[in-house]
Amino acid sequence: MKFDPLPAEFLASRLQTPKPGCRVVLDTDTYNELDDPYALVYALRSPEIRLEAVYAAPFHNDRSEGPKDGMEKSYRQILEILSILGEERPVFRGSEKWMDSPDSPVDSPAARDLAARALAMPDGEPLYVAAIGAPTNIASAILMEPKILEKIVVVWLGGHGLHMPLTDEFNMAQDFYASRVLLDSGVPLVLVPCMGVVSHLIVTLPELREHLSGKGKWGQYLLDITTEQMEQYGNWSRVIWDISTIAWLCGGKGFQSGLIPSPILTPEWTYSADLTRHFIRYVNYIDRDSVFRDLFGKM
């Protein structure tokens, strides 16, 4: 599908750090691994953002039987987390399969809600989409209603750093066509790469015990799920990837980034460059201590 390009000046203005009080939806494959619950709790505890809805994203690995099962397990876990923490937000089921082609959106309650919620935004105020899973729901909403390109800003944890030889990162590789929609459509996009950028958001169990133990139900919940998984697999440390998107929405303290032409994702899971393409904001460095200081302080 060919999209009408947004003016460069418009993209540049939309890709600035959000103002406090920005309206946000979270698209998450929550059951996939423990860093998604960290992102959800972080979003709920951050006064800088207004979390309006949560979408269950599909995923497929050894914790699911396929994208539909992964999405359904994520949907149920989102509801469980909100119940444990005494929070209420609208929660929507997402895509049950991957996109079959570049022009084949997957209809779902999440995609429909994103399209409707974005179109209802006041002029000049974008809806921020914190995306920490395969972007099927978001790409589908864009294909179903291209007008939302002017209404949303996507902050996506996807792919690896541009300097890495391959970019077959889990979120990006789950749905090739959806990933290309995010990179090719011209949607205002903040790309937060995994290996080489977010990969040093590492934390250890002793540090988590120091900062989360006895810090209320929020901190204790995160500590419990992390302890269970780290002790099960014998991990000494753990990367908490997904909090990076929420940290950027909270002001991006410790982030370094710049506007670059959107990279082209090839079928070989490499990036190709075209300097005439539209701009995205590319995060190239995150100060680890700034992010965890903010997270722990909000517990």
Side-chain angles (χ1 to χ4, degrees), residues 3 98-102 104 131 133-140 142-143 154 156-160 167-187 189 191 262-267 269-271 277-278 280:
F3 299 90
W98 312 124
M99 287 175 51
D100 295 323
S101 74
S104 59
T136 314
N137 298 334
I138 304 159
S140 296
I142 291 172
L143 291 169
V154 180
W156 183 37
L157 179 79
H160 295 314
T167 189
D168 54 345
E169 176 271 330
F170 184 79
N171 292 343
M172 181 174 278
Q174 292 274 286
D175 193 330
F176 175 78
Y177 293 120
S179 299
R180 290 194 76 171
V181 168
L182 287 198
L183 293 170
D184 295 349
S185 65
V187 67
L189 173 66
L191 185 61
S262 182
I264 299 169
L265 178 62
T266 74
W269 299 109
T270 61
Y271 281 135
R277 277 165 64 88
H278 62 279
I280 66 169

Side-chain angles (χ1 to χ4, degrees), residues 191-211:
L191 185 61
V192 189
C194 289
M195 294 303 296
V197 178
V198 182
S199 49
H200 69 284
L201 286 183
I202 297 173
V203 70
T204 64
L205 199 51
E207 185 178 16
L208 289 174
R209 288 173 176 150
E210 171 70 22
H211 290 284

Side-chain angles (χ1 to χ4, degrees), residues 64 99 109 130 159 173 290:
S64 76
M99 287 175 51
S290 296

Side-chain angles (χ1 to χ4, degrees), residues 31-53:
Y31 193 80
N32 172 38
E33 54 181 343
L34 61 84
D35 51 343
D36 291 81
Y38 271 82
L40 176 54
V41 172
Y42 193 9
L44 290 167
R45 292 296 293 167
S46 294
E48 299 94 332
I49 67 178
R50 295 162 54 189
L51 182 63
E52 298 200 340

Side-chain angles (χ1 to χ4, degrees), residues 123-175:
D123 290 342
E125 181 182 354
L127 177 68
Y128 290 87
V129 184
I132 53 177
T136 314
N137 298 334
I138 304 159
S140 296
I142 291 172
L143 291 169
M144 291 161 57
E145 185 48 84
K147 291 180 181 178
I148 69 172
L149 292 177
E150 302 176 11
K151 295 284 192 173
I152 64 174
V153 176
V154 180
V155 185
W156 183 37
L157 179 79
H160 295 314
L162 295 178
H163 61 289
M164 302 294 290
L166 293 175
T167 189
D168 54 345
E169 176 271 330
F170 184 79
N171 292 343
M172 181 174 278
Q174 292 274 286
D175 193 330

